[in-house]
Amino acid sequence: MKIALLQMSISDKKQKNIEKAISFLKQAKENKADMAILPEMFCCPYAAQNFPIYAEEQGGMVWQALSKTAKECNMYLVGGSMPEREKEAIYNTCYVFDRKGKQIAKHRKMHLFDIEVTGGQCFKESDTLTAGNQVTVFDTEFGKIGVCICYDIRFPELARLMVLEGANVMIVPAAFNMTTGPAHWEISFRTRALDNQIYTIGVAPARNENAAYVSYGNSIVASPWGEILVRLDEKEAIAFYEIDLDKINKVRQELPLLKHRRTDIYNLSLKIKK
């Protein structure tokens, strides 16, 4: 499965961001990618006050552009994330489309990013966003894939629930900042990959030092053995990588962590069923 990590720059013009995303997606098609992944809030500057302004209902302009481009490019598209409006609520939402442009999954960020680090980043998503409540795993010709958004990766229960539903790859559109990124970005992706013996993929916006919220960038792929396979720097770029899904079975045979879980003593289950 050849993936394309689209680390694009984000402007304050929604249409410009859509056009940039489409341009990157066409480059992914030219390189014969099976799946392309956009960053968190790819059409919107990452700021709590922007989310209500840029929000659209499902099926809106951004959704239509992603669906159409996925079909034209004949590839799976994990559409980063965007502000989604439903009635009075606004969600940080990732839409996933198949090769025909059909929506096959939707993940609403479950864990809202409310932090205040002394001398570092302060941000409160809950000022304008509502949390989602579903674990998201979707089917492809390559097997099951899980998707979550940014801060979600810090909660190992969510990753394990995806794996228990059959996910062998976890995709995370994300926008770690210059406080959390250098400290926690790489270790988060390596740890979730290692704990669950899966591939983890993080796609972030390119860094803009003049933005109110400065993205760390460094889009990444980690292996089921915990190795870093791909890592960009802070600049706008596209990275391609061909995932070897057979490696998952090999690692799980050699080091059968999931089989060694003591389910006679502990268990993990969903309280809200799909």
Side-chain angles (χ1 to χ4, degrees):
M1 180 175 70
K2 188 174 184 179
I3 58 169
L5 286 66
L6 311 183
Q7 184 168 289
M8 57 178 273
S9 299
I10 312 299
S11 82
D12 60 359
K13 302 290 191 296
K14 184 188 288 188
Q15 185 60 40
K16 183 177 178 181
N17 292 327
I18 294 170
E19 291 169 0
K20 173 68 68 69
I22 291 171
S23 172
F24 270 40
L25 289 165
K26 288 181 178 177
Q27 292 180 58
K29 177 189 177 183
E30 290 170 3
N31 283 271
K32 297 181 170 54
D34 295 299
M35 176 179 291
I37 307 159
L38 289 164
E40 182 179 22
M41 291 295 176
F42 80 94
C43 63
C44 169
Y46 192 85
Q49 67 269 22
N50 285 336
F51 302 148
I53 299 169
Y54 286 75
E56 296 182 6
E57 293 184 355
Q58 180 174 316
M61 179 177 70
V62 176
W63 186 99
Q64 290 180 39
L66 296 182
S67 173
K68 180 182 177 183
T69 309
K71 182 177 180 179
E72 290 175 350
C73 293
N74 187 34
M75 65 185 174
Y76 291 95
L77 170 56
V78 179
S81 80
M82 60 171 288
E84 176 208 2
R85 184 183 300 277
E86 185 179 78
K87 297 180 181 178
E88 299 304 315
I90 298 170
Y91 300 92
N92 186 343
T93 298
C94 175
Y95 297 108
V96 182
F97 301 89
D98 66 12
R99 294 184 187 272
K100 295 181 180 179
K102 177 185 176 183
Q103 181 183 311
I104 55 173
K106 177 171 84 171
H107 179 74
R108 289 170 168 170
K109 191 173 189 177
M110 291 178 62
H111 304 91
L112 297 183
F113 185 59
D114 288 1
I115 68 162
E116 187 170 354
V117 179
T118 303
Q121 185 70 45
C122 177
F123 203 91
K124 195 171 183 183
E125 280 189 328
S126 64
D127 282 344
T128 52
L129 295 179
T130 298
N133 60 9
Q134 295 289 344
V135 176
T136 308
V137 175
F138 60 93
D139 288 304
T140 73
E141 67 212 64
F142 306 103
K144 292 182 180 292
I145 295 175
V147 63
C148 62
I149 299 173
C150 200
Y151 195 51
D152 285 339
I153 196 175
R154 292 179 178 269
F155 299 86
E157 301 91 343
L158 177 56
R160 178 54 54 85
L161 284 167
M162 291 182 193
V163 171
L164 294 178
E165 289 196 19
N168 289 325
V169 178
M170 183 172 77
I171 295 173
V172 192
F176 277 37
N177 56 64
M178 296 306 296
T179 299
T180 60
H184 302 148
W185 177 259
E186 179 178 315
I187 196 170
S188 295
F189 283 89
R190 293 184 67 189
T191 302
R192 296 289 85 77
L194 180 63
D195 283 351
N196 295 287
Q197 299 176 313
I198 57 174
Y199 287 94
T200 56
I201 303 167
V203 180
R207 191 178 307 169
N208 177 2
E209 298 287 358
N210 297 317
Y213 182 96
V214 181
S215 170
Y216 181 57
N218 283 266
S219 295
I220 196 168
V221 180
S223 81
W225 193 251
E227 310 152 293
I228 298 301
L229 304 173
V230 172
R231 184 163 179 174
L232 292 173
D233 58 18
E234 76 282 5
K235 301 182 213 47
E236 185 173 78
I238 301 177
F240 296 95
Y241 189 79
E242 192 156 347
I243 297 257
D244 179 6
L245 294 167
D246 290 335
K247 185 168 184 177
I248 297 166
N249 292 330
K250 181 176 183 295
V251 168
R252 289 179 179 178
Q253 287 172 3
E254 295 174 345
L255 185 62
L257 293 179
L258 297 175
K259 288 183 179 179
H260 289 162
R261 290 181 302 121
R262 289 294 305 274
T263 53
D264 58 322
I265 298 174
Y266 54 78
N267 208 350
L268 183 63
S269 61
L270 281 168
K271 289 186 176 180
I272 297 177
K273 301 298 183 182
K274 290 186 178 181

